[in-house]
Amino acid sequence: MTTALITGSTAGIGAAFARRLAGDGHNLVLVARDTKRLREQATELHDRHGIEAEVLTADLATEDGITAVEERLARRRDGVDLLVNNAGFGNKGRYLEVPLADELTMLKVHCEAVLRLTSAATGAMRERGRGGVVNVASVAAFVPRGTYGASKAWVVQFTQGAAKDLAGSGVRLMALCPGFVRTEFHERAGMGTDNIPKWMWLDADKLVAAALADLARGKSLSIPDPRYKTLMGVVKVTPRALLGGVTSRTGRKYGPK
C-alpha cells in the first residue's frame, strides 16, 4: 500500500483528497493545526476504509511546523509516495489594507512551505524512482489580482519548472488550479460569497477526481473543469492592461464584503 501526505487535510479540498485516497486504499499522513479534528478524521477514515491514518499536527506558518513535515517526508523507512500541498488561506482586504505581517505569513504558507515540503518529498521520491506531488494553486494565479494570486502564480511557475527538471526520474509534479470551491476557505477569511454566481462553484470531490486523473496522465498543470478552462483560455488572449481593470472590478463584485 502506498502512503499519501496531505496538508490542510481536515477541510475542503484537503478533506476531499483524504476521502478519495483512503477510498482507493492509500495509507495517509494527515497534517493540519487542529489535533482534535485530525484524530477524528483519522479514526473515521480508518474505520470506513481500513487504511492506516497517521496524524501530524503542524502549523505551516511556523518554522517548527514546516520542519516537522519536512522530517516526515524525508523518512526513507516508511516513505511518502504522494504529497498534496493543500494548506492555504486568504486575507480579507486589498493591498495595503492587510497588515504586512499577515501578507508575510501567507507567503510562508503558500511559497516557503510548498518549496521546502516539495523538496523534502521529491528528494526521497527520486531515490526510489517514483512518486508524485500535487501543489494546490488557484485560477487566481493567472490574473493580476493581489497578493493571493501572486503567491499562487509562484506555485504554478515553481511546480511546472520543477516538473521539467525531474522529467524522466519517475517523479511527477502538478499544479492544481481550481476556481471557487465550497469549503471553509471564504468563511475563515471573512469573505462574503453571496454575490458569486452558482455556476462558478465547484464540488470538491469531483475536483479531486479530475485532478488525480490529470496527475495520472502526466500533466504538470490541472484546471479541472471545462468552465474554468474556457475562462482561462479567454484570459490568455486578453491584454494585461484590460485584464487588470476587469479583475479589479470583478474582485469588488465577487470578493470580500
Side-chain angles (χ1 to χ4, degrees):
M1 296 178 70
T2 58
T3 298
L5 185 148
I6 306 164
T7 68
S9 72
T10 54
I13 295 173
F17 267 107
R19 289 192 297 270
R20 172 57 187 264
L21 292 169
D24 287 347
H26 298 274
N27 291 327
L28 300 176
V29 182
L30 304 171
V31 180
R33 294 177 298 175
D34 190 325
T35 303
K36 181 176 182 292
R37 289 184 71 178
L38 280 170
R39 288 176 176 168
E40 290 172 351
Q41 182 185 33
T43 299
E44 178 185 356
L45 293 172
H46 169 75
D47 292 347
R48 178 172 298 180
H49 301 290
I51 55 94
E52 296 301 318
E54 177 184 341
V55 166
L56 176 53
T57 305
D59 182 352
L60 297 182
T62 68
E63 181 65 26
D64 288 347
I66 296 175
T67 298
V69 184
E70 279 181 314
E71 291 174 351
R72 178 62 184 87
L73 288 166
R75 273 165 37 183
R76 269 54 176 177
R77 176 173 50 84
D78 50 353
V80 169
D81 303 280
L82 174 65
L83 165 64
V84 180
N85 273 316
N86 167 73
F89 65 95
N91 287 319
K92 181 179 180 179
R94 303 176 189 174
Y95 176 60
L96 294 185
E97 295 176 353
V98 177
L100 183 58
D102 293 346
E103 299 279 36
L104 291 172
T105 298
M106 176 183 287
L107 293 178
K108 192 172 187 71
V109 175
H110 290 183
C111 300
E112 181 182 341
V114 168
L115 171 63
R116 290 172 58 179
L117 300 189
T118 300
S119 299
T122 54
M125 290 173 183
R126 185 169 60 175
E127 289 182 8
R128 297 193 298 272
R130 68 180 190 280
V133 177
V134 176
N135 289 329
V136 179
S138 169
V139 293
F142 305 111
V143 295
R145 183 60 187 161
T147 309
Y148 178 84
S151 69
K152 293 303 187 178
W154 182 91
V155 172
V156 171
Q157 293 296 316
F158 161 67
T159 304
Q160 291 194 292
K164 289 181 179 179
D165 288 343
L166 291 174
S169 68
V171 182
R172 296 178 177 180
L173 292 93
M174 185 183 79
L176 171 59
C177 296
F180 289 106
V181 184
R182 292 199 180 279
T183 69
E184 297 177 3
F185 177 90
H186 297 92
E187 181 182 349
R188 287 180 174 179
M191 298 178 181
T193 60
D194 292 342
N195 288 341
I196 299 172
K198 291 182 179 179
W199 68 266
M200 296 185 75
W201 289 104
L202 303 178
D203 176 79
D205 292 312
K206 292 179 180 178
L207 171 77
V208 166
L212 291 173
D214 283 345
L215 181 67
R217 286 193 285 263
K219 290 189 175 184
S220 64
L221 177 67
S222 174
I223 303 174
D225 185 88
R227 291 164 288 181
Y228 281 98
K229 284 186 173 73
T230 300
L231 284 175
M232 293 306 103
V234 173
V235 164
K236 287 183 179 179
V237 299
T238 303
R240 299 294 287 181
L242 176 61
L243 185 62
V246 170
T247 56
S248 180
R249 291 192 297 274
T250 302
R252 288 194 292 272
K253 185 175 181 181
Y254 299 138
K257 298 296 180 183

PDB file of all heavy atoms in Angstrom, residues 165-179:
ATOM      1  N   ASP A 165      12.429  19.752 -14.632  1.00  0.00           N
ATOM      2  CA  ASP A 165      13.746  19.353 -14.133  1.00  0.00           C
ATOM      3  C   ASP A 165      13.774  17.892 -13.698  1.00  0.00           C
ATOM      4  O   ASP A 165      14.820  17.237 -13.771  1.00  0.00           O
ATOM      5  CB  ASP A 165      14.160  20.248 -12.961  1.00  0.00           C
ATOM      6  CG  ASP A 165      14.515  21.661 -13.398  1.00  0.00           C
ATOM      7  OD1 ASP A 165      14.759  21.853 -14.602  1.00  0.00           O
ATOM      8  OD2 ASP A 165      14.521  22.556 -12.536  1.00  0.00           O
ATOM      9  N   LEU A 166      12.631  17.369 -13.236  1.00  0.00           N
ATOM     10  CA  LEU A 166      12.571  15.990 -12.753  1.00  0.00           C
ATOM     11  C   LEU A 166      12.006  15.020 -13.789  1.00  0.00           C
ATOM     12  O   LEU A 166      11.752  13.856 -13.471  1.00  0.00           O
ATOM     13  CB  LEU A 166      11.741  15.920 -11.470  1.00  0.00           C
ATOM     14  CG  LEU A 166      12.378  16.587 -10.238  1.00  0.00           C
ATOM     15  CD1 LEU A 166      11.408  16.585  -9.069  1.00  0.00           C
ATOM     16  CD2 LEU A 166      13.675  15.901  -9.852  1.00  0.00           C
ATOM     17  N   ALA A 167      11.796  15.488 -15.005  1.00  0.00           N
ATOM     18  CA  ALA A 167      11.270  14.618 -16.056  1.00  0.00           C
ATOM     19  C   ALA A 167      12.198  13.418 -16.253  1.00  0.00           C
ATOM     20  O   ALA A 167      13.416  13.561 -16.302  1.00  0.00           O
ATOM     21  CB  ALA A 167      11.142  15.393 -17.367  1.00  0.00           C
ATOM     22  N   GLY A 168      11.603  12.240 -16.327  1.00  0.00           N
ATOM     23  CA  GLY A 168      12.374  11.018 -16.513  1.00  0.00           C
ATOM     24  C   GLY A 168      12.846  10.373 -15.229  1.00  0.00           C
ATOM     25  O   GLY A 168      13.418   9.282 -15.257  1.00  0.00           O
ATOM     26  N   SER A 169      12.590  11.017 -14.099  1.00  0.00           N
ATOM     27  CA  SER A 169      13.040  10.481 -12.803  1.00  0.00           C
ATOM     28  C   SER A 169      12.013   9.539 -12.179  1.00  0.00           C
ATOM     29  O   SER A 169      12.308   8.879 -11.180  1.00  0.00           O
ATOM     30  CB  SER A 169      13.315  11.630 -11.829  1.00  0.00           C
ATOM     31  OG  SER A 169      12.102  12.287 -11.465  1.00  0.00           O
ATOM     32  N   GLY A 170      10.801   9.511 -12.730  1.00  0.00           N
ATOM     33  CA  GLY A 170       9.719   8.749 -12.120  1.00  0.00           C
ATOM     34  C   GLY A 170       8.895   9.559 -11.142  1.00  0.00           C
ATOM     35  O   GLY A 170       7.929   9.050 -10.571  1.00  0.00           O
ATOM     36  N   VAL A 171       9.261  10.833 -10.949  1.00  0.00           N
ATOM     37  CA  VAL A 171       8.547  11.713 -10.023  1.00  0.00           C
ATOM     38  C   VAL A 171       7.727  12.712 -10.833  1.00  0.00           C
ATOM     39  O   VAL A 171       8.259  13.411 -11.690  1.00  0.00           O
ATOM     40  CB  VAL A 171       9.516  12.471  -9.096  1.00  0.00           C
ATOM     41  CG1 VAL A 171       8.737  13.342  -8.108  1.00  0.00           C
ATOM     42  CG2 VAL A 171      10.421  11.499  -8.352  1.00  0.00           C
ATOM     43  N   ARG A 172       6.427  12.778 -10.553  1.00  0.00           N
ATOM     44  CA  ARG A 172       5.533  13.690 -11.255  1.00  0.00           C
ATOM     45  C   ARG A 172       5.138  14.839 -10.337  1.00  0.00           C
ATOM     46  O   ARG A 172       4.851  14.628  -9.160  1.00  0.00           O
ATOM     47  CB  ARG A 172       4.267  12.964 -11.716  1.00  0.00           C
ATOM     48  CG  ARG A 172       4.516  11.876 -12.743  1.00  0.00           C
ATOM     49  CD  ARG A 172       3.217  11.178 -13.107  1.00  0.00           C
ATOM     50  NE  ARG A 172       3.411  10.171 -14.145  1.00  0.00           N
ATOM     51  CZ  ARG A 172       2.456   9.414 -14.655  1.00  0.00           C
ATOM     52  NH1 ARG A 172       1.211   9.549 -14.218  1.00  0.00           N
ATOM     53  NH2 ARG A 172       2.734   8.524 -15.590  1.00  0.00           N
ATOM     54  N   LEU A 173       5.102  16.041 -10.894  1.00  0.00           N
ATOM     55  CA  LEU A 173       4.642  17.212 -10.152  1.00  0.00           C
ATOM     56  C   LEU A 173       3.550  17.896 -10.950  1.00  0.00           C
ATOM     57  O   LEU A 173       3.646  18.026 -12.177  1.00  0.00           O
ATOM     58  CB  LEU A 173       5.778  18.205  -9.906  1.00  0.00           C
ATOM     59  CG  LEU A 173       6.882  17.765  -8.950  1.00  0.00           C
ATOM     60  CD1 LEU A 173       8.010  17.119  -9.717  1.00  0.00           C
ATOM     61  CD2 LEU A 173       7.404  18.956  -8.156  1.00  0.00           C
ATOM     62  N   MET A 174       2.525  18.361 -10.241  1.00  0.00           N
ATOM     63  CA  MET A 174       1.405  19.018 -10.905  1.00  0.00           C
ATOM     64  C   MET A 174       0.863  20.148 -10.048  1.00  0.00           C
ATOM     65  O   MET A 174       0.670  19.997  -8.843  1.00  0.00           O
ATOM     66  CB  MET A 174       0.288  18.008 -11.179  1.00  0.00           C
ATOM     67  CG  MET A 174      -0.877  18.572 -11.992  1.00  0.00           C
ATOM     68  SD  MET A 174      -2.200  17.352 -12.212  1.00  0.00           S
ATOM     69  CE  MET A 174      -3.014  17.462 -10.601  1.00  0.00           C
ATOM     70  N   ALA A 175       0.616  21.284 -10.667  1.00  0.00           N
ATOM     71  CA  ALA A 175      -0.076  22.394 -10.011  1.00  0.00           C
ATOM     72  C   ALA A 175      -1.563  22.273 -10.295  1.00  0.00           C
ATOM     73  O   ALA A 175      -1.973  22.166 -11.457  1.00  0.00           O
ATOM     74  CB  ALA A 175       0.453  23.727 -10.521  1.00  0.00           C
ATOM     75  N   LEU A 176      -2.368  22.261  -9.258  1.00  0.00           N
ATOM     76  CA  LEU A 176      -3.819  22.156  -9.369  1.00  0.00           C
ATOM     77  C   LEU A 176      -4.420  23.546  -9.199  1.00  0.00           C
ATOM     78  O   LEU A 176      -4.180  24.204  -8.183  1.00  0.00           O
ATOM     79  CB  LEU A 176      -4.355  21.203  -8.302  1.00  0.00           C
ATOM     80  CG  LEU A 176      -5.869  21.125  -8.129  1.00  0.00           C
ATOM     81  CD1 LEU A 176      -6.549  20.694  -9.420  1.00  0.00           C
ATOM     82  CD2 LEU A 176      -6.219  20.180  -6.979  1.00  0.00           C
ATOM     83  N   CYS A 177      -5.200  23.979 -10.179  1.00  0.00           N
ATOM     84  CA  CYS A 177      -5.739  25.334 -10.163  1.00  0.00           C
ATOM     85  C   CYS A 177      -7.265  25.323 -10.205  1.00  0.00           C
ATOM     86  O   CYS A 177      -7.871  25.421 -11.286  1.00  0.00           O
ATOM     87  CB  CYS A 177      -5.192  26.125 -11.347  1.00  0.00           C
ATOM     88  SG  CYS A 177      -3.412  26.379 -11.289  1.00  0.00           S
ATOM     89  N   PRO A 178      -7.903  25.195  -9.064  1.00  0.00           N
ATOM     90  CA  PRO A 178      -9.370  25.237  -9.017  1.00  0.00           C
ATOM     91  C   PRO A 178      -9.879  26.668  -9.034  1.00  0.00           C
ATOM     92  O   PRO A 178      -9.127  27.629  -8.823  1.00  0.00           O
ATOM     93  CB  PRO A 178      -9.683  24.568  -7.678  1.00  0.00           C
ATOM     94  CG  PRO A 178      -8.505  24.914  -6.816  1.00  0.00           C
ATOM     95  CD  PRO A 178      -7.319  24.950  -7.743  1.00  0.00           C
ATOM     96  N   GLY A 179     -11.184  26.808  -9.280  1.00  0.00           N
ATOM     97  CA  GLY A 179     -11.854  28.084  -9.101  1.00  0.00           C
ATOM     98  C   GLY A 179     -12.517  28.107  -7.732  1.00  0.00           C
ATOM     99  O   GLY A 179     -11.941  27.628  -6.747  1.00  0.00           O
TER     100      GLY A 179
END
